[in-house]
Amino acid sequence: TFVATAFACLAGENPAGQWGFDAKTLQGDLLRPTIGPLVGKILGSATLAKEKPSSLQTVKGFRGIILADDFTKANLPTKELSVAVWIQVGKPIEWGGILGAIQDNGSFERGWLLGYGKERFYFAMASAKTNRLTYLNSTMVYAPSNWYHLAGTYDGKIQRIFLDGKLAGEAKAQSGPILYPPAAKFVLGAYLDDNEHYPFEGRLERVTLWNRSLSPEEIAKLFAERETLFPGIEPEPTPSTTADWPTFL
């Protein structure tokens, strides 16, 4: 009992970075972190949502938030990582980005990104094993304008995506250290690389990054601790099988 209680208290602790959105953190064209050193530079314009919970509401002209022009200065995870966000997609697009440092230019594929497509969320990452990105899609389709808790993890062997606290996909194509590009920006709220720039449209609340792989139990706890703050949110059903997760390279 003591061990289980102690483990529960540690769930999601010690993030490498966290960005929330309220009057204290969103100041002019700057986003100040709630945890960590990285101050974001807002491209275009952004505002706070009028409805609770306090969150980023993108407006016309929003182009993303640059957390580091040079990702190598951001001290990003190298062997394991976890990233999580509370998100409401306002406009589905084919290549949507939430948080990451990525280059996906023809056959040159490096880095990682938590993002979304027209129907499903995804967690993309590359390692030296393949020299390519694996885009791991969630098994469940999201509904625009609904709140979700989305998370991606990588433990050096298995890449996982979680939706509303439940496992929604895993892949074993990658292994070993994360393979980063020589140059990339660390970006929140956009899919941005050398030849693509697709800003996010919708609402974001509490984006968090860890330099370790959170366990499924920790992810479930992160969802359960705060789900009542988000109107209309309901846990997604557990997939009936994990034999064939939707991925593409």
Side-chain angles (χ1 to χ4, degrees):
T1 301
F2 172 79
V3 173
T5 302
F7 175 80
C9 292
L10 292 173
E13 282 196 346
N14 301 319
Q18 186 177 85
W19 298 269
F21 305 94
D22 57 30
K24 293 182 179 179
T25 60
L26 197 64
Q27 300 178 355
D29 63 352
L30 296 179
L31 174 65
R32 302 194 180 280
T34 50
I35 298 174
L38 297 179
V39 177
K41 172 70 172 179
I42 299 170
L43 302 180
S45 55
T47 188
L48 296 175
K50 295 180 180 179
E51 302 83 8
K52 293 184 178 180
S54 182
S55 57
L56 176 74
Q57 174 71 65
T58 65
V59 295
K60 186 177 181 179
F62 176 77
R63 301 286 290 162
I65 302 173
I66 305 299
L67 298 174
D69 279 309
D70 179 356
F71 85 90
T72 63
K73 298 180 179 179
N75 196 28
L76 297 183
T78 57
K79 296 181 180 179
E80 299 185 1
L81 75 85
S82 298
V83 55
V85 63
W86 293 89
I87 183 172
Q88 185 184 88
V89 177
K91 181 182 179 180
I93 58 177
E94 186 173 0
W95 299 105
I98 302 164
L99 185 72
I102 193 172
Q103 294 289 353
D104 187 354
N105 308 315
S107 61
F108 185 78
E109 303 178 7
R110 302 286 189 275
W112 61 269
L113 178 71
L114 187 67
Y116 60 99
K118 289 185 176 180
E119 295 184 342
R120 303 173 190 272
F121 295 109
Y122 67 78
F123 175 46
M125 64 152 297
S127 71
K129 178 182 178 182
T130 65
N131 289 315
R132 298 189 66 185
L133 290 159
T134 295
Y135 283 83
L136 173 62
N137 289 289
S138 62
T139 52
M140 282 75 79
V141 174
Y142 68 81
S145 300
N146 280 14
W147 279 108
Y148 295 93
H149 182 255
L150 173 67
T153 67
Y154 176 64
D155 63 4
K157 295 180 180 179
I158 303 176
Q159 178 183 352
R160 295 184 173 95
I161 188 169
F162 298 83
L163 196 58
D164 289 349
K166 295 183 180 293
L167 183 65
E170 68 177 31
K172 299 179 181 179
Q174 307 292 345
S175 65
I178 300 165
L179 182 63
Y180 284 100
K185 299 180 187 298
F186 183 39
V187 183
L188 191 159
Y191 187 113
L192 177 62
D193 63 10
D194 283 350
N195 61 10
E196 294 156 312
H197 189 173
Y198 305 120
F200 170 76
E201 292 188 35
R203 291 173 65 181
L204 295 174
E205 198 272 358
R206 189 178 287 186
V207 183
T208 311
L209 175 68
W210 294 262
N211 58 12
R212 65 183 180 90
S213 177
L214 270 62
S215 69
E217 293 77 14
E218 288 179 288
I219 298 293
K221 185 172 185 291
L222 289 175
F223 171 72
E225 285 176 341
R226 305 183 71 239
E227 63 174 306
T228 57
L229 300 177
F230 299 86
I233 197 167
E234 294 182 359
E236 292 289 342
T238 302
S240 59
T241 177
T242 61
D244 187 19
W245 300 109
T247 64
F248 63 93
L249 288 172

